[in-house]
Amino acid sequence: MRVSSRELTLGLITLTAALFGGTLLLARSHLEEWQQLQIEQERLQRETAIDRKIVEKRDHWEKRFTNLSAAMPQYSEEQKTDILWLSTIDSVARQHGFQIRRIEAGKERQQGDVYELPIDCTDWEGSLDSLVHFLFDLQSRGAMLDVRFLFIKPKAAKVLRGRFSLSCAYTRGEADAAAVVSPESP
């Protein structure tokens, strides 16, 4: 039996197509894995570039941290900051005619050298003027405060109601009387 050149060509093309198809079937899982690795490599290169820029600016951030930490209140390890801040907030609110009906302090969180105390006021009432003066007075007492959430709705003509969430930042240190800053001081 003789094989013609046409049959030989068709046989080679069929064999080539079968080998190519078999290779694709076997390599598909490895090809997807390779593509995922390429995507991961690009992501890691971007993150490395960002981290490198942050490291290059380390001196800037350390100077900024030093400046801000000098202005941050410092309390002793034994001092109960939740009671201190709640009483301070209550007295400042009363000074400005701002009524706080429900307020509670969250759990103190530590991030490095800085402590953070979340305070949630779930019900307050007052005028816009009393709210602004209350928040300004708290800030001017040497406190590092961040208003994380503020919700305001009208109740009457000039009376507003709402809720807010404050975060107080401070450091803990030795119980040195000169170093301890009280938020009660003007």
Side-chain angles (χ1 to χ4, degrees), residues 119-130:
I119 296 176
D120 293 319
C121 175
T122 55
D123 190 16
W124 60 264
E125 189 174 297
S127 67
L128 180 61
D129 193 45
S130 65

Side-chain angles (χ1 to χ4, degrees), residues 53-176:
K53 288 179 184 176
I54 290 172
V55 169
E56 289 172 358
K57 294 181 180 181
R58 180 180 177 154
D59 291 337
H60 165 75
W61 291 112
E62 284 180 349
K63 287 178 187 174
R64 189 166 178 201
F65 175 75
T66 303
N67 291 341
L68 287 176
S69 64
M72 193 174 296
Q74 183 176 13
Y75 302 104
S76 68
E77 294 290 333
E78 302 82 31
Q79 202 165 6
K80 295 270 191 190
T81 55
D82 55 349
I83 296 169
L84 178 73
W85 280 111
L86 290 176
S87 65
T88 301
I89 289 172
D90 186 50
S91 67
V92 171
R94 272 189 268 116
Q95 284 177 356
H96 297 288
F98 188 72
Q99 297 175 351
I100 297 178
R101 295 195 173 124
R102 251 183 293 157
I103 189 168
E104 68 180 46
K107 187 174 180 181
E108 179 181 74
R109 295 184 298 253
Q110 180 181 4
Q111 293 186 354
D113 295 341
V114 178
Y115 290 81
E116 187 175 69
L117 179 70
I119 296 176
D120 293 319
C121 175
T122 55
D123 190 16
W124 60 264
E125 189 174 297
S127 67
L128 180 61
D129 193 45
S130 65
L131 171 65
V132 170
H133 284 94
F134 163 73
L135 291 174
F136 181 78
D137 196 3
L138 276 179
Q139 188 70 40
S140 66
R141 291 177 183 254
M144 290 288 229
L145 294 174
D146 183 26
V147 178
R148 299 275 169 100
F149 175 79
L150 177 62
F151 176 75
I152 302 172
K153 66 180 179 179
K155 179 182 177 188
K158 290 188 177 185
V159 179
L160 303 172
R161 292 186 69 181
R163 59 185 186 264
F164 62 83
S165 178
L166 292 176
S167 181
C168 307
Y170 51 89
T171 58
R172 295 262 188 201
E174 298 298 318
D176 182 15

Side-chain angles (χ1 to χ4, degrees), residues 6-77:
R6 179 176 179 211
E7 290 172 342
L8 185 62
T9 306
L10 284 174
L12 285 175
I13 291 173
T14 304
L15 182 64
T16 305
L19 285 173
F20 185 72
T23 304
L24 281 179
L25 285 175
L26 293 174
R28 178 182 294 171
S29 65
H30 295 293
L31 182 63
E32 290 173 0
E33 185 179 321
W34 179 72
Q35 289 173 338
Q36 291 298 323
L37 286 173
Q38 241 182 347
I39 291 170
E40 180 72 12
Q41 180 184 12
E42 290 171 2
R43 183 185 67 80
L44 289 173
Q45 285 174 342
R46 283 193 308 270
E47 286 180 8
T48 302
I50 291 170
D51 291 345
R52 193 170 284 129
K53 288 179 184 176
I54 290 172
V55 169
E56 289 172 358
K57 294 181 180 181
R58 180 180 177 154
D59 291 337
H60 165 75
W61 291 112
E62 284 180 349
K63 287 178 187 174
R64 189 166 178 201
F65 175 75
T66 303
N67 291 341
L68 287 176
S69 64
M72 193 174 296
Q74 183 176 13
Y75 302 104
S76 68
E77 294 290 333

